[in-house]
Each structure stands twice: as structure tokens, then as C-alpha cells.
Amino acid sequence: MDAGCQNMRSSNTTVAVGSDATSSTRVKMDAECQNTGSSNTTVAEGSDPTSSTRVKMDPGCQNMGSSNTTMADPTSSTRVKMDAECQNMGSSNTTVAEGSDPTSSTRVKMDAGCQNTGSSNTTGAEGSDPTSSTRVKMDADPDSTLTEFFTNCDDDLLFQLTKFYRDRLEQAIEEGVEGLALMLIGEDHFSGQEYQKVSELVQNGNRAGSAKLLLNLVMEKGPRARRMMWESFVKMHHSLRKLGTILREIQELGSDPINYMKVGQELSEIPSHLKDVQQKHKETLRVQTETLRVNTILIKEKVKIFQLVDRYAELTVISTVRDRTLVEHELLARGRDHEEWREKHLRRELEKIQTDQLFQSSFSQRKSKSGNSAAVSGVPGIGKTTMVQKIVHDWATGKIYPHFQFVFSFKFRDLNTINCRINLRNLILDQYPYFGNILGELWKNPKGLLFIFDGLDEFKDRIDFADNRRNTEPQYMCTDPECWCEVSDIVYSLIQHKLLPGCSVLVTSRPTALHLLEKADISVWAEILGFVGDERKGYFNKFFEDQTVAAAVFKHVEENEILYTMCYNPSYCWILGLSLGPFFTQRDRKQQQVPKTITQLYSYYIYNILKNHGREMENPRDVLLKLGEMAYTGVSKKKIVFRNGDLIEYNLQPSQFLSGFLMELLERDVSAQSVVYTFPHLTIQEFVAALTQFLTPDPGEIGKLLSEAHSKEDGRFEIFLRFVAGLSSPQSARPLVEFLGPFLHQTTCRVIDWVKEKVEGQIGDTQTETGKRKLLNTFHYLFESRNKALARNTVGSMEKLSFRGLRLTPIDCAVLSHVIGHCDTIKHLDLEECNIQCEGLQRLGPVLHKCQELSLGGNKVGDSGVKLLSAALRNQECKIQNLILYGNALTDSCAKDLASALSTNRSLIDLNLGSNNLGASGVKLLSVALRNPDCKMQKLCLNVNGLTDSCAEDLASALSTNRSLIDLNLGSNKLGDSGVKLLSVALRNPDCKIQELYLYGNALTDSCAEDLASALSTNRSLIDLNLGYNKLGDSGVKLLSVALRNPDCKIQELDLRGNDLTDSCAEDLASALSTNRSLIDLYLGYNNLGDSGVKLLSVALRNPDCKIQELDLVKNALTDSCAEDLASALSTNQSLRILSLESNSFTDQSVPALRRLILTCRSLEVIWLERNQFSPNGERQLESLRGSRRGLTVRV
């Protein structure tokens, strides 16, 4: 695949997305984008070349000011060439060979050359993190409206803008803080010492502190520095996403943003006669919210009460919400998505929002003076209700939202008990009776009111914000707080600002109910991400009074990949604390029995309840059986709240024993208060439902029940099924048997049979994302079952396992490690583009050495990840032969470990390190390993690694002494003429064994051509040389042609695309073609040979001694004038199989000659004629020849 990108202002080219090149296919992709202001070209998308086809796809993109080019994904047996060149660019960003799969039988050339760039940023892998040495990409054409706005802005407005957006600006500039500081230094606003301080914080990993310092300094320096800072923001905003968001918001505010910035921030004076009731209200709310009730598993102290301020753990909340249909259990899916959210958060692409900013207008997505509505999303147990409690407590104690005079908080769970029409007045008085007749005064100032509604997903009535009847039909409209209507109408009208316009509303919900708010008038969307980083540790420190126990429990959680990933969720942390605490506080507990799977964890949770409550019941097994049946029905119907009627239906009596499993909640009724029941956490309900399957005396059709549960596509049974599989393990069941008696053996056997059937049925279906996800789920069943015999019987003979493109969490990686550990035949593990990162790789570490082919490209494993891989390579039992690590953000820091591993490893023969940032220093270290006589490396890919001539001598030394290396890719680096001259010395060494050498995109000129020509004349091994997208010119090619005429030259494939060639070198090339007996593939695309040049080449093609099989003349300014010459020459040619003539200027006038060429050149298999100037009739005439000869492909 060859992409030449020259002088193009702005383009985005995607090549052969999803193409499927089969076994004998050689792929080249040609797409051209020339002189375009802005273009987006997709070539051969989804194409499926057949086995006898040699496909060529070459994208040439010229005249780029700013470009982004993404290459294709070649399959295993394909010979691919990817060439991307970016020349004379004002600013460019090029991504090369992203997602490529250079496997063992693949010959890959990825060519990207970037020359003469004013300012460029070349990235090998998507999502790379710009470090301190990165030059921030400036927008070449700043938005004129923004520039004009800040030019005309007065000093006071700039001050107000900076103050208003301060918190968000700190986050927005983190990734570009050094570039911003450099710009301020250039304008004499910063001293060198100040820049150094900013830079030091970045180097120490404290980007947040660095951004804060920069803004502090700018604010201190006054209006000129502030103005320069905002003007710099305009230049930088395209490379800093969050900064761009802020600037777009300012642009949308129009000419007078002051009024908008004041919305929600005015402090209205409360009338004196309302001060007393406000004080009473605050005191009431303070008392109600100052304590936190935490359930325990102890009989004497079922509920512990803590001070909220002592127990509350800070959660990460982000100012965005993704609304996506969940195909799995919402906790599981959100847990998996949590990894993605966390990754984005760490890359500073997500804005963190504090709870006191939910009504700060700068986060508002909708600008409204009628009031603000905010929606906060979060999975069950993530802390929505506790966060609401903290917000109310902080308002009542004067810490946040001083502009709200009154806050009213409601739970949808309580509102469910209201079965009659009601008005807002009585809704408030029912909960806060002391307001009496004063409420009428509150209605006069709605801007001072905040209404909170917690748990939309639990509301029994559906509120349809898309229902237009609510705006037109009186019975659905509620515009007066004294008006009697349904509760749902009151909630709707408050959120939509139909009722008390100007008031603010906060709604919380699970993700599954978010779709209800799609059409609602929501100003701020937020999602509780849960605990990130050290916030997890902070929870356990607060959970356990004894910090020694806290440290021991957290250490165990941290070391166990399953448990650690779970504990982003506070409710999981609570279960972990209750279940694990006794192992570290009771002397009679053996720590080797500490739970390691989710099923074991929950077994010990139930064990602790039974131990504390079991003696109260004569038959705890019978009670749990009934409780589990109710729990299963709840899971089936997505029901989490149970009433007395449900208990009666399942013959359950409220008791001390039952209260260990169910929480009692008070529900407000119009006349009284009633009790409802819920499990402390949805996963506990699912576990009890799974446990029941093993307690029932008649297993019946357990297999059918499991299959029906498995068939539910919404994933409601996913965790339930994992628990069922886990409880088939004696290790998981053992703690419960003490109190519940033995599990039914017949059930255990049938569950194991069901898991076996599912794994075997899914193991071959990994072609689609759905198939991969289903297989991963069945692997989770295997993991939970801890059944070694079952694992060996189902996966023991696997040879290939691919989850390519499926996002994997550390939990998933731990599961895969467990599965592969039971497989002795695994040959190929393909985890490319799975986002496993270093944490995931760490889980896989113990089994990596077992694979022969290990594909880990595009995973951002980083230097620390490669250190883990190096340990696998040093393993004496290592079988890895092919290791793919392109696009993993590697630097020279990992080179020493990798070089050490290469020096001792005896299996590795193919290593792809493309699209990283090893640099010259890293390659120098690798060259030491290559000189080691024990090194067995045959293929090494180092394209797009920032290499310069300073490492060329080391590479040359390695080439001269290494006896195994035959394929070296150095494309898209900056070796230059001096570097290639040094390499040419090595090529002349008779001991050099290199057969394929790729030097595309290395800023080469005719200055190095003589050295290369000398090497070609004497070298006996080199058969494939790629010099594409350099600046060799006619003079350079003339020198190379001399070497090609030498009878000792063995070159079979020569790539000279994008080298500024004209007809001046055509005669020399023609002479070489006439005499050379080895050259079979010649690529001359993206040059300017013209008709006269091709006429000269046609003479050589007539020569019976010419052996050319593939000729590339893409985009060479060819017209109808040369068509007859080509047709005449090729009518007698017996060797040419592939001819590429795309992107030229042939018209219908050439159709007769081209038809004759196709019909008379009997060896021709593929001719490419796309992007010429044929009429529809001319295209039809050419396409009609497709079936004229077996195996012939004509692309027009």
C-alpha cells in the first residue's frame, strides 16, 4: 500500500478498509488526492480480491498543508506495500500502517516519508501522548471569527472569561501546556525560569499542577499576558479537544457573553421573613444527611452509622454521558466501558466535573435563562444516592450553591407510593411540613430553587419527553405549583421548565433509563465514573478503622486482577470489605483460602451472613431456596424491589435471618409508611438466584433454563450464568456446604456439561465482534468454574485464538491467561488493537511464552509492557517466533531489555517494532543484539521510529556481521543520504545476507545514488529494494540504471514511486529493462514520466528479454498519445501480469488501443484503469472484457 502525500492542504484518506486479500494475492492500493482544499477518499472499501488476483491500491495525496493518512490492514498471506510521503508540509499529522497485521508469511512494506516540513507531527500509533519534546500542532488557518473576537475583547471581559472558565481551562491545556508556555516565552510574557518550572512539573508527571501554575502566572501578569494566552488558545485548539470545546462555546455566546456568564451565579437576597424557615430547612437537611447508614453482616449490629464526612469517598464524575444500547448486564458492560472511560480520562480527553459545578453554566450544553436541568448517570452501586446526600449536606452547611435559597430532594422510589393526583405544594409539604403557607412566597423567586429527583430508573411511571401531547393537551400540562396532576407530570414540567421556569433540577439515573431523557431539556450531562486510581485505596482506608487491615485487604485486591477491576464501584468495594475483612482480622482463617474469583468472593459473603445468622433458622437451606427463587424471578423480570406480597408468594416470613440478605426500606405512602425489601446489591440478588439452582431437590431441565438465560441478548443473565458456572466448583461451594448441606451432584454435572457445550460451540466463531464477545463470555464461565479437566477438554487443543479489535479489560486478560494456561497447542494469539495496555499484558505474562506467533500491535503497552515481554522472551521454554509490536508507544527506555532478550532468545525470527519512537539511541542498543552470533532474527521492522543517520553506522555494522537477518524495514525515518551511504558499505560486504531492504520516505537525494548503485552491482543477496517517496530525481535513477544493467545485479523488485522522475531518465530505465534478467516488479507511480517517457519504456517492453511481470505507472500524466505504443509493445510481451494505469488522463480515444492490449497480452491478469477520463460508455467497453479470459481482472 503506497500513499504519497504532497502539498495537500487538508485530507483524510482511508485505504482498503476491511479488504480481504486471499492467499495468493499481492496487494497494492492506489488512491489519489491532488491539489484539494479538503478531501476524503475511500478506496477499495470492503473489496475482496480473489486468489488469482494481484491487487494494487496506492493513495497519492499531493499539496497537503495538513494531512491525516490511515493505512489498511493486510491479511496474513498478503504481500503489502504501504508508502506514505508528506512533502513541503506546513503542518502534518500522518498515521502509518495503523492496525496492519504483518504476520509470518507476510512481506510488508510501510512507507511514509515526511520531508521539508515546516512543522510536523508523525505518529505511529493512534492515541499517542504528546510529550515534552513534541511540538504542538498549530492550526495553520485560525478561525477568523475567534481571532477577531479576542482582538476586539476589552481587558475586563478577558478577565471575566478566564475566571469563569478557569477550572475547565486547567484541564483543557494539560496536554499542550509546554507548547503554550513556549509561545508566551516567545512574546516575552514568560521568563526562561518560569518556563523551566512549568516544564519540570510536566517532566515529573504533574501536568495538572503545570497547567494550574501557568494560569496563575498569566493571571498575575495582567491583561497583556491574558490576551496573548487567549490568542495562543486559538492557534492550539485543533490539537487540544477540550480547549476547542471551550472556544466553540464562547463563539456561540455571541457578542455579549457577560449576561450568560452571570446565569446561575447571581446571589439573590432572601427576604427576611423567609430566613427563619430557610434556617430550619437547612438544619433539618443537615441532620437528615450528616450520617451514613452502612449495612453489615453482623447479627448484633446489622447497620453501622458513620458520619458522612468521615466515610464519604470522592468519586470521579465526568461531564459527558455515552448513551449506548447495552448488550450485556449493565454492571458488566459499564465495568468494561469503565476501562475505556478511565483511559480517556487519563489522556485528559474527558472533563472532570465537581458536584458543585453541575449548575455552573460553562458546562451547560444548552443555553437557557429559564433554568438549568442536570442529569447524572451511573450504574447500580456507583454512588448516585450517596452523592445526592453529599450535595444536600454541603448545601445545608453552606459549602456549595449559595445562589440556591432552598433545595428539595425526592427519591423516585418514594414517589412510587403516590397513587393519586397531587400538586407540587403537597408534594413538598408531605416531606417538609414546616413550610406551611410560606410556599407561595418561594414560587415568586424560582431561580432560588433546586429540585433533586434521585433514581429515575426506579420510577414506576414512564415519563416520555418526546410526547408532544404534554405541550398541547391540558390534562398533561402542569404549569402551576398549586395545580393537581400526576407525579410524572410535575417531574416532567419541572425538568422542562414549564413549571416554575427559572428553577434548577437534578435527576439521577442508571444508564439503562437514560434514553428517557434524550428529548428532555437537559443543560448538563454527567456520569459518575467511580473510583479512579488512588480513590480505590482511599475507600478501603475509610472502610477499616485498622489501617493495617485496610492495607492488607487492598494489597490482596490490587494483586487480584478480577477483584481490582471490580472495585471501581463503591458497592463492590463494600462487598469486598465485608467478605475479605475476616480473613485479615480472624486468626482462624487461612489466608491461602482468600477468594480469587467473583464466585468465591460472594460465597464468602453469604458464608459470613450464615455464620452470624444461621443459628436462628432450623433450615437455612429451605429459606435460601425460596429466597433464591424470588431473586431469580426478579433477575428475569429486571425487578430489584420486593414487597410483602412477593414474600408471601414465595412463603417467606420477615425474620432476623432474612434481614441478613434483604435490606428493609421505608416507602412513603399518602397515608402511612410501608416497608419494601431489596438485596443490598444487584449482584447479590444474582448470586442468590444462582445458588438456588444447586439447592433445589429436582434439577429438572437445568440445561434448558441456562440456555434460555444465555439467549437473552440484553445480558440480564450474564452475571447469573457466571455465578452458576462458578458454583459448580467445589472450591467455591465448600464454604456454603457447612451451613446449607451438599450441593446436588446431578446439577453440578449438568452445569459442567452445559459450559462444555457452550465453549465448544463458540470456539470457532471469532470472525465477528459478537462471536468474539460470546466466546469471551464462555471463557469467563471456564474461569469461574476453576475446572482444570473441563478447560483441558474444551480448549486444550486450540491452535489459534483471535480477539483482534475487541476491547479487553484486565479482567478479560486474566481470564485469557487462565484459558491459555490449559492449552499446550496454542500457536497464534492475536490481540491486535485490543487496548490491553501494560496492565492487561501483566495478566497475560505467565502464558505469553507458549505462543509461536504473538500479535500485540496497537495496544499501547509502553516500555513497561515490553519489559514484561522481554521476560517471556528470556524464558528457556519460549516458543515465540513472530512478535508484532507496532504502535505501542515504545521509546529507547525499553531497548536495553529488548536487546538483552534478543541476545539470548533462540526462537524469535520476525520482530515488528514499526510506528513507535525508539529513536537512534534505541536502535543502537538493538544493533548490539543483532551483532550477537546467537541472534536468530530474520525479519526486523523499524519503520516510523524517528531514526537518523546517527544510528546508521551501528545498523551497518549489524548488517555486515549478522548471518540470519534477511528483511529490514527502515521506512519513514530520517536516515538521509549520509545514513544510506553508511548502509551501502554494509551492502557491499560479501557477508551481508539482506534480501529485502525498505528505505522509503527517508529524505534521500541523488547524492546517495552512486553509493547505492555500487552496492547493487556487487551485492549477491538483495532482491527487493524500496526507495519510494524520496527525492532521487532523474540523475539519481540514471545512476541506479547503470547498476541494473550489470549482469551481476540480482534485484527482482524495485520501488521508485514518488521520486520526481521525468522522461529524462526514461531512456536509461528502458535500457536497463532490456538487458536485466532478474527485475520482475517495477513501481514508477506518482512521478511525471509523461507520454514521451512511456513511449521509451514501451520499446523495452517489446524486447523479448524483458522479464517485467508488474509495472506501476499510476499518476504519471499519461494521455491518449502513449496508448498505441503501450498496446503495440505489450501485444508481444509474454511476461507482464499486472499493469497499473490509474489516475492518468486516458479518454475514450484510448479505448480501442487498451482493448487490444488486454486481448493480445495473453499473460496479463490484472489491469487497473480507475480514475481516468473515460465516459460511461468507454468504461462499459473496457469492463466487458472481464470475462473474455479466465482469471482476467479489469478495474475501471
Side-chain angles (χ1 to χ4, degrees):
M1 304 176 193
D2 307 343
C5 312
Q6 302 176 3
N7 303 325
M8 190 165 81
R9 171 160 297 217
S10 174
S11 82
N12 189 318
T13 304
T14 305
V15 185
V17 177
S19 61
D20 176 14
T22 50
S23 57
S24 59
T25 307
R26 299 179 63 200
V27 180
K28 255 192 245 172
M29 307 179 182
D30 303 347
E32 160 212 8
C33 318
Q34 190 171 16
N35 300 319
T36 57
S38 174
S39 73
N40 189 318
T41 306
T42 304
V43 183
E45 184 170 339
S47 60
D48 183 358
T50 55
S51 58
S52 59
T53 307
R54 299 175 73 197
V55 183
K56 199 194 289 186
M57 308 175 191
D58 305 333
C61 311
Q62 301 188 356
N63 301 326
M64 280 198 309
S66 173
S67 78
N68 189 317
T69 304
T70 304
M71 300 302 141
D73 181 355
T75 50
S76 59
S77 54
T78 309
R79 295 185 65 197
V80 184
K81 302 183 190 137
M82 309 179 187
D83 307 339
E85 175 201 22
C86 314
Q87 300 181 3
N88 304 320
M89 296 190 293
S91 173
S92 78
N93 189 318
T94 304
T95 304
V96 182
E98 183 183 326
S100 61
D101 176 16
T103 52
S104 58
S105 58
T106 308
R107 298 178 63 200
V108 181
K109 305 176 193 156
M110 308 172 191
D111 307 342
C114 305
Q115 301 181 10
N116 304 322
T117 57
S119 172
S120 72
N121 187 339
T122 302
T123 308
E126 180 184 339
S128 60
D129 180 18
T131 56
S132 58
S133 60
T134 304
R135 296 184 61 192
V136 178
K137 183 176 141 190
M138 305 300 173
D139 185 12
D141 185 21
D143 188 293
S144 57
T145 309
L146 279 170
T147 306
E148 184 181 355
F149 173 81
F150 288 116
T151 301
N152 297 330
C153 233
D154 62 48
D155 293 342
D156 181 62
L157 179 55
L158 279 181
F159 175 79
Q160 295 296 337
L161 281 170
T162 309
K163 186 178 175 183
F164 183 64
Y165 283 101
R166 175 65 187 264
D167 289 338
R168 292 178 65 189
L169 284 173
E170 284 183 12
Q171 295 183 58
I173 66 173
E174 282 185 19
E175 290 301 323
V177 65
E178 283 183 299
L180 181 58
L182 275 174
M183 297 175 86
L184 292 169
I185 246 189
E187 295 293 327
D188 296 328
H189 292 293
F190 266 28
S191 67
Q193 189 176 5
E194 287 168 332
Y195 170 78
Q196 189 62 35
K197 186 63 179 173
V198 169
S199 184
E200 277 178 15
L201 288 170
V202 173
Q203 299 305 321
N204 293 331
N206 186 6
R207 285 187 175 273
S210 177
K212 188 184 288 287
L213 174 63
L214 185 142
L215 285 171
N216 283 340
L217 290 170
V218 168
M219 291 300 277
E220 288 171 5
K221 290 176 181 294
R224 284 187 63 247
R226 276 195 295 274
R227 188 175 301 278
M228 181 61 205
M229 178 180 72
W230 281 97
E231 289 173 0
S232 302
F233 288 166
V234 176
K235 296 176 184 177
M236 299 174 71
H237 77 275
H238 282 297
S239 59
L240 298 173
R241 183 182 301 178
K242 289 187 285 189
L243 188 58
T245 301
I246 292 172
L247 292 183
R248 281 193 300 274
E249 287 179 12
I250 292 173
Q251 196 171 10
E252 289 169 8
L253 297 179
S255 57
D256 185 18
I258 290 291
N259 286 334
Y260 166 69
M261 289 191 285
K262 288 180 179 177
V263 171
Q265 295 198 338
E266 306 101 331
L267 288 175
S268 54
E269 185 67 27
I270 186 168
S272 57
H273 63 284
L274 292 179
K275 286 183 178 178
D276 288 343
V277 73
Q278 185 195 55
Q279 193 58 40
K280 179 174 179 58
H281 186 51
K282 284 189 172 184
E283 180 61 20
T284 301
L285 293 182
R286 183 190 67 77
V287 172
Q288 287 178 354
T289 59
E290 67 183 355
T291 57
L292 195 63
R293 293 168 61 86
V294 178
N295 288 279
T296 75
I297 49 179
L298 303 174
I299 187 168
K300 293 179 180 178
E301 200 176 11
K302 289 190 296 182
V303 175
K304 277 191 174 183
I305 297 175
F306 299 91
Q307 290 298 305
L308 177 69
V309 291
D310 296 334
R311 195 76 173 187
Y312 186 77
E314 288 298 329
L315 294 158
T316 295
V317 185
I318 50 177
S319 65
T320 186
V321 171
R322 176 168 51 188
D323 180 21
R324 192 180 75 185
T325 303
L326 300 177
V327 294
E328 295 181 282
H329 181 291
E330 63 180 356
L331 274 172
L332 179 70
R334 227 45 184 179
R336 184 167 281 131
D337 289 346
H338 167 257
E339 296 300 319
E340 181 180 347
W341 281 122
R342 183 174 62 168
E343 175 209 343
K344 285 187 177 180
H345 176 71
L346 294 176
R347 285 184 6 214
R348 300 297 189 258
E349 289 181 9
L350 293 169
E351 290 191 88
K352 188 171 179 178
I353 183 172
Q354 305 296 328
T355 51
D356 62 350
Q357 296 173 320
L358 290 170
F359 297 96
Q360 179 176 334
S361 297
S362 75
F363 279 102
S364 297
Q365 295 178 15
R366 302 185 186 187
K367 318 303 179 190
S368 172
K369 290 190 177 181
S370 62
N372 288 309
S373 292
V376 176
S377 166
V379 299
I382 201 71
K384 299 184 294 296
T385 299
T386 307
M387 185 195 75
V388 165
Q389 182 178 341
K390 184 70 161 57
I391 288 173
V392 173
H393 182 264
D394 285 352
W395 175 80
T397 53
K399 293 178 183 175
I400 61 172
Y401 297 139
H403 53 283
F404 290 134
Q405 294 175 354
F406 294 94
V407 173
F408 300 108
S409 180
F410 302 93
K411 288 184 172 67
F412 278 106
R413 186 179 287 176
D414 294 334
L415 299 180
N416 284 340
T417 62
I418 301 175
N419 297 314
C420 58
R421 295 169 75 83
I422 194 170
N423 59 20
L424 181 58
R425 169 187 290 277
N426 285 316
L427 197 65
I428 293 173
L429 290 177
D430 180 51
Q431 204 153 320
Y432 310 106
Y434 45 82
F435 275 94
N437 297 320
I438 299 178
L439 286 175
E441 292 293 317
L442 272 57
W443 309 151
K444 295 177 183 178
N445 182 30
K447 287 184 180 180
L449 304 179
L450 169 62
F451 292 92
I452 301 176
F453 295 97
D454 182 29
L456 175 64
D457 50 281
E458 296 179 9
F459 193 34
K460 65 180 181 182
D461 296 327
R462 178 185 173 88
I463 307 178
D464 188 355
F465 288 87
D467 187 352
N468 289 326
R469 292 181 303 170
R470 288 188 176 275
N471 301 320
T472 56
E473 299 183 18
Q475 67 266 34
Y476 295 106
M477 297 171 68
C478 180
T479 56
D480 186 341
E482 310 290 339
C483 175
W484 292 79
C485 51
E486 299 295 333
V487 172
S488 59
D489 296 330
I490 295 175
V491 176
Y492 170 89
S493 300
L494 285 171
I495 291 174
Q496 297 297 80
H497 311 299
K498 309 284 185 188
L499 176 60
L500 298 177
C503 75
S504 295
V505 182
L506 170 62
V507 183
T508 71
S509 172
R510 291 185 187 179
T512 45
L514 272 187
H515 65 282
L516 298 173
L517 295 170
E518 280 180 359
K519 301 294 184 182
D521 187 16
I522 301 295
S523 307
V524 176
W525 294 90
E527 176 169 359
I528 301 178
L529 194 60
F531 294 142
V532 173
D534 288 342
E535 291 170 346
R536 291 165 165 169
K537 186 176 182 180
Y539 180 93
F540 288 100
N541 288 340
K542 290 191 174 186
F543 187 93
F544 295 103
E545 294 177 7
D546 186 336
Q547 293 302 290
T548 306
V549 174
V553 170
F554 182 72
K555 183 174 184 292
H556 175 75
V557 169
E558 198 173 27
E559 289 173 351
N560 187 291
E561 56 281 349
I562 298 287
L563 306 184
Y564 183 71
T565 306
M566 282 172 58
C567 70
Y568 75 91
N569 187 312
S571 286
Y572 278 134
C573 289
W574 170 74
I575 292 170
L576 285 163
L578 291 176
S579 303
L580 297 177
F583 284 94
F584 298 92
T585 55
Q586 297 176 9
R587 294 179 181 177
D588 58 337
R589 290 285 183 92
K590 296 179 180 177
Q591 288 200 10
Q592 63 265 30
Q593 294 177 350
V594 179
K596 292 182 172 58
T597 69
I598 300 176
T599 310
Q600 290 172 15
L601 178 76
Y602 280 72
S603 287
Y604 274 104
Y605 172 80
I606 299 297
Y607 168 84
N608 284 320
I609 294 176
L610 292 169
K611 186 177 180 181
N612 285 283
H613 294 258
R615 295 179 184 83
E616 304 161 15
M617 286 298 262
E618 292 182 7
N619 193 349
R621 182 183 180 112
D622 184 54
V623 176
L624 264 178
L625 175 60
K626 295 171 183 175
L627 184 64
E629 288 171 351
M630 186 178 79
Y632 178 83
T633 302
V635 172
S636 178
K637 296 180 178 180
K638 292 188 173 180
K639 179 178 179 179
I640 62 169
V641 176
F642 303 93
R643 303 179 184 279
N644 279 304
D646 296 309
L647 267 62
I648 293 169
E649 181 182 348
Y650 289 95
N651 199 21
L652 290 166
Q653 298 291 330
S655 65
Q656 188 82 356
F657 175 73
L658 198 62
S659 67
F661 299 92
L662 292 176
M663 293 167 54
E664 297 178 2
L665 301 173
L666 287 179
E667 274 199 333
R668 288 183 179 274
D669 202 303
V670 177
S671 57
Q673 291 184 337
S674 59
V675 176
V676 294
Y677 305 90
T678 183
F679 288 89
H681 194 257
L682 181 56
T683 47
I684 295 173
Q685 179 178 336
E686 290 164 316
F687 182 84
V688 174
L691 179 59
T692 292
Q693 310 309 316
F694 294 86
L695 301 181
T696 181
D698 179 15
E701 297 182 345
I702 180 73
K704 182 180 178 182
L705 180 144
L706 297 177
S707 293
E708 287 177 356
H710 188 259
S711 68
K712 297 291 184 184
E713 294 187 358
D714 61 5
R716 73 183 70 177
F717 284 109
E718 191 51 52
I719 295 293
F720 164 81
L721 289 170
R722 290 190 188 181
F723 282 142
V724 170
L727 285 168
S728 70
S729 161
Q731 189 177 354
S732 298
R734 189 177 299 118
L736 300 174
V737 169
E738 179 183 338
F739 293 98
L740 301 178
F743 286 10
L744 200 64
H745 179 68
Q746 192 178 358
T747 302
T748 301
C749 292
R750 290 186 183 181
V751 169
I752 291 171
D753 288 342
W754 181 83
V755 172
K756 182 174 184 287
E757 176 190 328
K758 288 302 168 191
V759 175
E760 290 175 345
Q762 201 63 49
I763 208 160
D765 180 18
T766 57
Q767 303 306 307
T768 65
E769 181 174 346
T770 301
K772 291 171 184 173
R773 178 64 66 203
K774 285 184 176 179
L775 178 61
L776 187 60
N777 280 335
T778 59
F779 282 175
H780 274 274
Y781 304 156
L782 272 183
F783 178 81
E784 289 295 323
S785 75
R786 311 306 279 179
N787 190 320
K788 294 179 181 179
L790 176 62
R792 282 194 296 268
N793 289 336
T794 51
V795 300
S797 58
M798 272 194 317
E799 292 193 355
K800 180 177 180 179
L801 190 56
S802 173
F803 288 99
R804 174 188 292 220
L806 189 72
R807 181 175 293 274
L808 301 178
T809 68
I811 284 185
D812 296 329
C813 291
V815 168
L816 287 182
S817 180
H818 173 79
V819 168
I820 296 169
H822 293 290
C823 180
D824 296 324
T825 57
I826 190 75
K827 291 181 179 176
H828 184 188
L829 178 60
D830 184 355
L831 299 180
E832 288 191 35
E833 308 294 337
C834 287
N835 195 48
I836 61 175
Q837 302 184 56
C838 183
E839 191 177 350
L841 194 64
Q842 189 173 3
R843 313 304 179 204
L844 287 162
V847 298
L848 294 176
H849 69 280
K850 300 178 71 171
C851 310
Q852 292 180 22
E853 190 171 336
L854 188 55
S855 304
L856 296 172
N859 274 302
K860 304 171 194 161
V861 300
D863 296 328
S864 51
V866 167
K867 291 180 180 180
L868 292 168
L869 276 169
S870 298
L873 290 171
R874 283 192 291 267
N875 189 314
Q876 291 184 348
E877 297 180 359
C878 180
K879 297 177 182 177
I880 301 172
Q881 295 178 18
N882 185 355
L883 179 58
I884 297 171
L885 289 172
Y886 70 82
N888 268 296
L890 311 183
T891 72
D892 57 354
S893 297
C894 71
K896 188 174 181 181
D897 292 272
L898 197 54
S900 169
L902 295 183
S903 298
T904 57
N905 182 280
R906 297 293 178 269
S907 63
L908 191 65
I909 58 175
D910 187 343
L911 178 61
N912 185 336
L913 293 169
S915 301
N916 285 297
N917 193 28
L918 294 172
S921 54
V923 170
K924 285 183 178 186
L925 290 167
L926 290 179
S927 297
V928 175
L930 291 174
R931 288 195 293 270
N932 188 313
D934 293 327
C935 178
K936 306 299 181 186
M937 190 69 60
Q938 295 179 19
K939 293 176 68 176
L940 180 60
C941 180
L942 292 168
N943 68 315
V944 200
N945 260 289
L947 310 186
T948 65
D949 58 354
S950 63
C951 67
E953 190 171 357
D954 297 86
L955 278 170
S957 171
L959 293 185
S960 299
T961 56
N962 188 288
R963 297 293 180 269
S964 61
L965 192 65
I966 58 174
D967 187 332
L968 181 61
N969 187 338
L970 298 172
S972 296
N973 286 298
K974 300 171 185 176
L975 295 173
D977 295 328
S978 54
V980 169
K981 286 181 179 185
L982 289 167
L983 291 176
S984 298
V985 175
L987 291 173
R988 288 194 292 271
N989 188 315
D991 292 329
C992 177
K993 304 299 181 186
I994 285 290
Q995 295 178 18
E996 300 180 32
L997 181 61
Y998 310 121
L999 294 169
Y1000 53 82
N1002 263 290
L1004 311 183
T1005 71
D1006 56 354
S1007 297
C1008 69
E1010 189 171 358
D1011 296 85
L1012 275 171
S1014 170
L1016 293 183
S1017 298
T1018 57
N1019 186 286
R1020 297 293 178 270
S1021 62
L1022 191 65
I1023 58 173
D1024 190 342
L1025 180 61
N1026 190 324
L1027 297 169
Y1029 306 105
N1030 285 295
K1031 291 285 183 180
L1032 295 173
D1034 295 327
S1035 53
V1037 170
K1038 286 182 179 185
L1039 290 167
L1040 291 176
S1041 297
V1042 174
L1044 291 173
R1045 288 195 292 270
N1046 188 315
D1048 292 328
C1049 178
K1050 304 299 181 187
I1051 286 290
Q1052 296 178 18
E1053 188 169 330
L1054 181 62
D1055 195 329
L1056 293 170
R1057 279 174 286 194
N1059 265 290
D1060 295 340
L1061 310 185
T1062 70
D1063 56 355
S1064 297
C1065 69
E1067 189 171 359
D1068 296 86
L1069 275 172
S1071 171
L1073 292 183
S1074 299
T1075 57
N1076 187 287
R1077 297 293 181 271
S1078 62
L1079 189 64
I1080 58 174
D1081 293 345
L1082 179 60
Y1083 305 103
L1084 298 170
Y1086 306 102
N1087 286 299
N1088 195 27
L1089 294 173
D1091 296 327
S1092 52
V1094 169
K1095 287 180 180 184
L1096 289 167
L1097 289 178
S1098 297
V1099 175
L1101 293 172
R1102 285 193 191 93
N1103 190 315
D1105 292 329
C1106 177
K1107 305 300 182 186
I1108 287 292
Q1109 295 181 19
E1110 182 168 354
L1111 180 61
D1112 171 9
L1113 294 171
V1114 172
K1115 201 176 185 314
N1116 261 288
L1118 309 185
T1119 71
D1120 299 329
S1121 299
C1122 69
E1124 281 293 342
D1125 295 84
L1126 268 175
S1128 173
L1130 293 175
S1131 63
T1132 58
N1133 185 289
Q1134 300 301 311
S1135 62
L1136 191 70
R1137 295 173 54 241
I1138 299 178
L1139 178 62
S1140 301
L1141 298 172
E1142 305 100 303
S1143 303
N1144 285 298
S1145 300
F1146 293 115
T1147 70
D1148 287 2
Q1149 187 178 333
S1150 298
V1151 169
L1154 291 170
R1155 282 177 59 88
R1156 191 165 67 254
L1157 182 159
I1158 294 167
L1159 291 169
T1160 58
C1161 183
R1162 307 300 296 177
S1163 59
L1164 189 68
E1165 295 176 5
V1166 182
I1167 182 168
W1168 300 79
L1169 293 164
E1170 293 164 314
R1171 297 182 300 284
N1172 276 287
Q1173 297 175 17
F1174 304 118
S1175 69
N1177 181 51
E1179 289 182 356
R1180 281 194 295 272
Q1181 289 187 54
L1182 291 166
E1183 288 171 343
S1184 68
L1185 298 177
R1186 284 178 180 167
S1188 61
R1189 189 168 65 247
R1190 186 177 179 183
L1192 176 65
T1193 299
V1194 180
R1195 293 287 180 92
V1196 184

